[in-house]
Amino acid sequence: MGDLLVLWDVDGTLLDAGGVGGDLYETVFAQLFGCTLEAFAPMAGRTDRAIILQTLEMAGIREPRRYVDHFICGLSAHAQSVRETVAGRGRALPGASAALAALGGPGKFGRVRQSVLTGNVRPLAEVKLAALGLRDRLDLCIGAYGDDHEARTELVHVARRRAAAVHGRLPGDFGGTATVVIGDTPLDIEAALATGARAVGVATGSYPASALAEAGAHVVLQDLTDTGKVMRALLA
Ligand SMILES: [Mg+2]
């Protein structure tokens, strides 16, 4: 087997962060605008860039695009402050740690590189994963994050380029199904399919297995509890 790039979604796939995302949005909004944030844009499967923009529009902020980078800086700056809350209120999803360990085992499956493809800004992804003991098997330098681009599909290209640069390959070496995207929303599946990657759905977030199958996932798992099944889904 050649190189394989496995890109895990974070929220709803590897972990449940206990709702700290919303807390952070409230904190940053209050700091930037001096008032209370009344409503959030939908978050599941979307990038922070997209969520921030729509949330600011909903709050009636004029020229909201001007503030997206400031908001991202705010989220990043406050990420460490939610570590204890994630550790207390959040949880690693069943089987996540075992799946990461099985895939990351030395020499087990040829050259498997595993990282994340997430809508979170990188500091927050890192804090969530570390707080719940899931960080160590992941090569976060080759991941793609919610501050890299508004569109999730673009994040697949970002991760391929980073993996190629770090491992001395050409981006094309991770093209097509040499990349596997695993996530809990139809947007994860769409991002995979739009970039020719293999799409694995896992129904532990806010969407049932049927919605992920309908979106076109090559395989849909109910959860990550059967490590053998997860490996077969990712390595097929
Ligand atoms: Mg998710």
Side-chain angles (χ1 to χ4, degrees):
M1 197 170 108
D3 284 18
L4 185 70
L5 177 61
V6 175
L7 297 171
W8 295 89
D9 169 55
V10 173
D11 295 292
T13 300
L14 290 174
L15 57 83
D16 170 355
V20 295
D23 296 353
L24 268 179
Y25 268 64
E26 285 170 354
T27 303
V28 174
F29 187 89
Q31 275 194 343
L32 282 179
F33 301 107
C35 54
T36 306
L37 179 61
E38 303 290 346
F40 309 101
M43 291 190 171
R46 304 179 71 210
T47 64
D48 269 327
R49 277 197 184 278
I51 300 164
I52 291 165
L53 185 60
Q54 194 186 350
T55 298
L56 297 181
E57 281 167 3
M58 288 163 60
I61 303 297
R62 288 178 62 191
E63 297 185 63
R65 207 169 274 281
R66 282 179 54 201
Y67 298 98
V68 173
D69 283 332
H70 296 294
F71 209 102
I72 282 173
C73 287
L75 291 179
S76 301
H78 286 283
Q80 279 298 335
S81 71
V82 298
R83 190 183 167 117
E84 291 306 310
T85 311
V86 175
R89 261 178 15 200
R91 65 186 177 116
L93 289 173
S97 179
L100 293 176
L103 200 62
K108 265 187 187 167
F109 300 109
R111 290 202 182 96
V112 175
R113 319 289 186 186
Q114 59 177 340
S115 189
V116 296
L117 189 151
T118 172
N120 285 285
V121 298
R122 178 171 170 174
L124 187 55
E126 197 153 359
V127 162
K128 288 177 177 178
L129 291 162
L132 298 171
L134 297 170
R135 195 233 165 286
D136 288 353
R137 303 276 183 179
L138 293 160
D139 185 355
L140 295 183
C141 290
I142 62 173
Y145 302 89
D147 45 333
D148 286 321
H149 204 282
E150 203 170 302
R152 196 173 188 98
T153 295
E154 292 302 317
L155 299 187
V156 181
H157 300 304
V158 169
R160 281 173 170 155
R161 282 198 296 272
R162 285 188 178 141
V166 167
H167 294 292
R169 313 248 153 202
L170 299 170
D173 291 347
F174 295 107
T177 53
T179 298
V180 186
V181 173
I182 175 165
D184 69 301
T185 73
L187 289 172
D188 298 77
I189 307 304
E190 278 169 28
L193 298 181
T195 54
R198 186 172 162 74
V200 177
V202 53
T204 43
S206 40
Y207 290 88
S210 58
L212 301 172
E214 217 165 279
H218 296 100
V219 182
V220 179
L221 303 166
Q222 279 302 331
D223 54 39
L224 301 176
T225 53
D226 183 338
T227 304
K229 212 170 170 180
V230 177
M231 294 303 106
R232 286 192 293 281
L234 294 174
L235 303 170

